[in-house]
Amino acid sequence: MIMSSNLDSADKTAAYYKAFSHFLNTGNSEHLSEYIEGEHNPAILSVYRNGYYKASVEALAANYPITQQLLSEDLFQKIAKRYVELNPPTGGTLVGYGEQFPVWLEQAPELKTLNLPSLLADIAKLDAGWLNCLNSEDNVSPLTATQVMAMTEQDIDPGTCETSFSQSIQICHTEFNSFDFWQRVKLEGQVPKQFELTKRNETIMFWRLEGQVHGKALTEIEQDFFGTPRGETFKLGERLESPLARFPDADITDLFSQCLQQQLLVLNEPNIE
């Protein structure tokens, strides 16, 4: 279909890809006419466009499975196709495609008239959090109880060591008791016939341990401790000062123990093994 004589330079190749991308997003093939050989039917281009949309919508369905189950198939297809039109894939893979889908569901004015479920945006956030956790990088050097004991024996205070949170940690903020709903659908494979939806702001954390994704609703002291974790390096003792100041009667022993058991902390001290 493509005339090689028309693609004899990097500029022309770039122009072709730009025209093809424009066609995929708009359906307008006018700028592709010079690249179509004379005997070929331009209608063949619709095969590429239809395949592009189908693959993108299927990627959204795969990445947001509970969100899809919350809607009818036709309604999800309609919403997903509109999202693809406005936010076409930009990478070379559809793995993880739809990063802005939860925000779009929450804010898009055109969706306000569709009478969508109140917890839809929450469920999309949880789907995204779970997927991002699953696809995150592995911990290189998780802080373990054995290391803490070894540091103590060497008179090293663990609180003074450079530490960070696991790269797998994902934090989601929800408006309703959506995590309970999300967990039920994840476990049972279908939307429950009865569910009491309540307005309840929650902070949900996902993390990965030994290849398996875990999730929980954080307590207030846990919210204060974990905050927005990705990419931040800190001294553990200093990090604990804020929750201790806000909750002076709290016992942080359990919190620290959970961090060690679930490998939620990463030791950034190369000289400590």
Side-chain angles (χ1 to χ4, degrees), residues 10-242:
D11 289 343
K12 288 184 178 180
T13 300
Y16 161 69
Y17 282 120
K18 182 178 180 180
F20 193 71
S21 177
H22 177 74
F23 163 71
L24 290 177
N25 290 319
T26 66
N28 184 348
S29 62
E30 178 181 355
H31 300 298
L32 278 175
S33 58
E34 64 180 288
Y35 304 105
I36 301 175
E37 294 180 345
E39 296 181 357
H40 288 275
N41 186 348
I44 192 67
L45 292 173
S46 63
V47 173
Y48 296 106
R49 187 166 190 263
N50 291 341
Y52 161 81
Y53 271 104
K54 187 174 186 295
S56 299
V57 169
E58 287 178 351
L60 274 182
N63 294 338
Y64 292 89
I66 314 300
T67 307
Q68 181 191 30
Q69 291 186 61
L70 194 56
L71 303 172
S72 68
E73 183 176 352
D74 289 344
L75 182 55
F76 182 84
Q77 291 279 325
K78 176 181 178 181
I79 291 174
K81 185 174 181 180
R82 180 57 177 160
Y83 176 82
V84 173
E85 290 174 350
L86 298 174
N87 303 273
T90 57
T93 174
L94 291 174
V95 173
Y97 170 61
E99 183 178 355
Q100 298 302 315
F101 193 47
V103 176
W104 182 74
L105 287 175
E106 195 169 37
Q107 299 178 357
E110 61 196 277
L111 301 181
K112 303 300 182 184
T113 61
L114 295 181
N115 194 29
L116 299 173
S118 301
L119 75 170
L120 183 65
D122 278 0
I123 297 301
K125 292 176 186 177
L126 295 171
D127 274 341
W130 186 92
L131 181 67
N132 290 335
C133 178
L134 181 68
N135 291 335
S136 63
E137 296 180 5
D138 292 327
N139 290 337
V140 176
S141 180
L143 182 62
T144 65
T146 301
Q147 287 175 315
V148 172
M149 291 180 62
M151 282 187 269
T152 303
E153 292 172 355
Q154 299 172 48
D155 293 327
I156 299 174
D157 180 1
T160 64
C161 295
E162 291 291 329
T163 314
S164 59
F165 288 116
S166 165
Q167 287 295 305
S168 72
I169 290 178
Q170 301 291 321
I171 302 291
C172 305
H173 301 285
T174 59
E175 186 179 359
F176 300 92
N177 57 331
S178 307
F179 186 55
D180 293 339
F181 180 93
W182 184 90
Q183 284 185 303
R184 284 189 60 180
V185 179
K186 192 81 171 173
L187 179 65
E188 300 172 5
Q190 60 183 3
V191 174
K193 294 181 179 179
Q194 292 184 338
F195 183 82
E196 185 177 350
L197 184 66
T198 58
K199 191 97 168 179
R200 187 172 73 205
N201 292 331
E202 290 186 321
T203 300
I204 310 301
M205 185 176 81
F206 292 102
W207 71 97
R208 196 178 70 246
L209 177 65
E210 297 179 353
Q212 184 174 355
V213 175
H214 302 266
K216 65 174 293 186
L218 298 182
T219 63
E220 285 188 308
I221 191 170
E222 289 171 337
Q223 291 178 43
D224 194 291
F225 178 69
F226 287 105
T228 305
R230 291 184 67 83
E232 183 178 350
T233 300
F234 51 85
K235 286 182 169 58
L236 184 58
E238 295 176 357
R239 184 74 184 190
L240 289 169
E241 288 179 359
S242 176

